[in-house]
Amino acid sequence: MFTFRKKKTLRVFLVSCILLTFLSGCLGPSPEENIYTTLEKVVTLEEAFNDQQKPLQELEKKESDLYNQIMDLGMKEFDKVISLSKEALTLVEERETKINKEYESMMSSKEEFAKIDEEIEKIKDESLAKQASKLKTTMENRYSTYESLYDAYKSSISLDKELYTMLQKEDLTLDDLESQIKKVNDSYKTVMEYNEIFNQTTEDFNELKLEFYNQAELNVEGSKSQ
C-alpha cells in the first residue's frame, strides 16, 4: 500500500513537471519581444559611442584653434609653430583614442543586433515579418555606413598627423604645405558626407523601430533611441 502510493505520487509529480515545461514554452517571450529586448540592448551598447561625441567635438575645436594660430604665425616664428604643432599632434592622438572607443562600441552593437535574424524567421505575421526585415536592412546599412565613416575619419587623422609633422620642418615649402592641406580638407569632406548619411540612416532606423513596436503592440514607454 505504501509502495503503491509512493509510485502514484511520483507519477503525478512527473506529469506536473511535463505540464509546467510545456506551458513555460508556450508562455515564453514571443519573437517580437525578443527582438525588442535585443534592440534595447543594442542602444545600451552604443552608449560608449554616444559618450565620445562631445569630447571629440571639443578636441576638434581645440585643434582647429591651434591650426589657425599656426597659419597666422607662418614660418616667421618657427619655434612657436613647432610648439603648437606638437600640441596639435597630441590632440589628434586623443581623437584617435576616442574614435577607436567609438568603433568598439559600434561593433559590439553590430554583434548583438545580428541576434534578431533567427527571431525574424519565427514571426508568423507576414506584415510584421516584412517590417522587421526592413528594420534589419536599414540597421545593416547604418553599420556599413559607420564603418566607411570610421575608415574615412582614420584616414583624416593620418593626414592630420602628417600635416603637423611637416609643420615642424624648417625646410617645408609652400607647395608641399598647400598640397597637404588640400588632402586634409578633401578627406574631411568625405567624412562629412558619410556622417550625414549615417545620421539620416540612424533617424530612419529609429522611426522604423517605433513602427515595428507599435505594429507588434509592444509596451515601449521606456524605449530608447540610437
Side-chain angles (χ1 to χ4, degrees):
M1 185 71 175
F2 177 77
T3 304
F4 174 76
R5 288 182 64 191
K6 187 175 182 182
K7 286 182 179 177
K8 185 177 179 182
T9 303
L10 179 61
R11 184 181 173 194
V12 171
F13 175 73
L14 288 172
V15 170
S16 298
C17 286
I18 292 168
L19 283 171
L20 283 170
T21 302
F22 175 76
L23 288 172
S24 65
C26 293
L27 300 175
S30 67
E32 296 88 337
E33 289 170 329
N34 285 334
I35 289 173
Y36 170 81
T37 300
T38 297
L39 295 184
E40 293 303 295
K41 188 172 180 182
V42 161
V43 175
T44 300
L45 288 169
E46 287 191 22
E47 284 177 0
F49 166 85
N50 293 322
D51 289 344
Q52 307 311 311
Q53 302 313 301
K54 188 176 178 180
L56 265 172
Q57 290 170 7
E58 289 172 351
L59 287 170
E60 286 169 358
K61 174 67 169 60
K62 287 179 182 177
E63 187 189 322
S64 178
D65 290 343
L66 287 175
Y67 172 79
N68 290 332
Q69 287 180 54
I70 292 169
M71 291 300 108
D72 288 342
L73 286 171
M75 303 305 282
K76 296 173 293 184
E77 298 181 51
F78 187 59
D79 289 344
K80 184 66 174 173
V81 168
I82 291 176
S83 176
L84 292 174
S85 295
K86 287 180 178 179
E87 193 178 339
L89 266 174
T90 301
L91 294 176
V92 172
E93 288 165 359
E94 286 181 37
R95 281 201 291 124
E96 188 170 26
T97 298
K98 293 198 175 295
I99 199 71
N100 287 337
K101 285 182 182 177
E102 183 186 276
Y103 178 80
E104 288 169 10
S105 172
M106 288 297 290
M107 291 307 99
S108 296
S109 165
K110 181 181 180 180
E111 186 179 347
E112 179 66 24
F113 183 79
K115 294 178 182 178
I116 75 165
D117 285 358
E118 58 186 70
E119 298 300 332
I120 291 175
E121 292 174 6
K122 297 176 188 175
I123 298 176
K124 295 177 182 179
D125 185 290
E126 189 177 335
S127 175
L128 193 57
K130 190 179 289 185
Q131 178 70 14
S133 295
K134 191 176 178 182
L135 181 76
K136 173 178 174 285
T137 300
T138 303
M139 189 57 146
E140 286 175 343
N141 288 340
R142 178 176 179 264
Y143 287 128
S144 177
T145 301
Y146 174 76
E147 290 179 60
S148 296
L149 171 60
Y150 171 77
D151 289 341
Y153 197 90
K154 287 281 282 187
S155 176
S156 297
I157 281 176
S158 294
L159 291 170
D160 278 332
K161 287 180 178 179
E162 288 176 20
L163 173 63
Y164 293 121
T165 301
M166 287 171 67
L167 286 165
Q168 296 176 55
K169 295 178 180 178
E170 199 165 7
D171 60 350
L172 175 64
T173 66
L174 183 60
D175 285 345
D176 287 343
L177 178 59
E178 287 178 344
S179 175
Q180 186 66 19
I181 289 172
K182 185 180 185 307
K183 288 179 186 177
V184 170
N185 290 339
D186 288 346
S187 178
Y188 277 107
K189 184 179 177 183
T190 302
V191 169
M192 292 302 295
E193 287 169 356
Y194 279 125
N195 192 58
E196 285 178 18
I197 298 170
F198 175 76
N199 288 339
Q200 183 58 57
T201 312
T202 300
E203 221 174 282
D204 294 342
F205 172 77
N206 284 328
E207 288 176 8
L208 288 169
K209 182 170 73 171
L210 288 177
E211 286 174 19
F212 173 78
Y213 288 170
N214 290 332
Q215 195 173 335
E217 297 182 347
L218 295 169
N219 182 10
V220 294
E221 285 184 12
S223 174
K224 300 175 253 182
S225 295
Q226 257 71 14

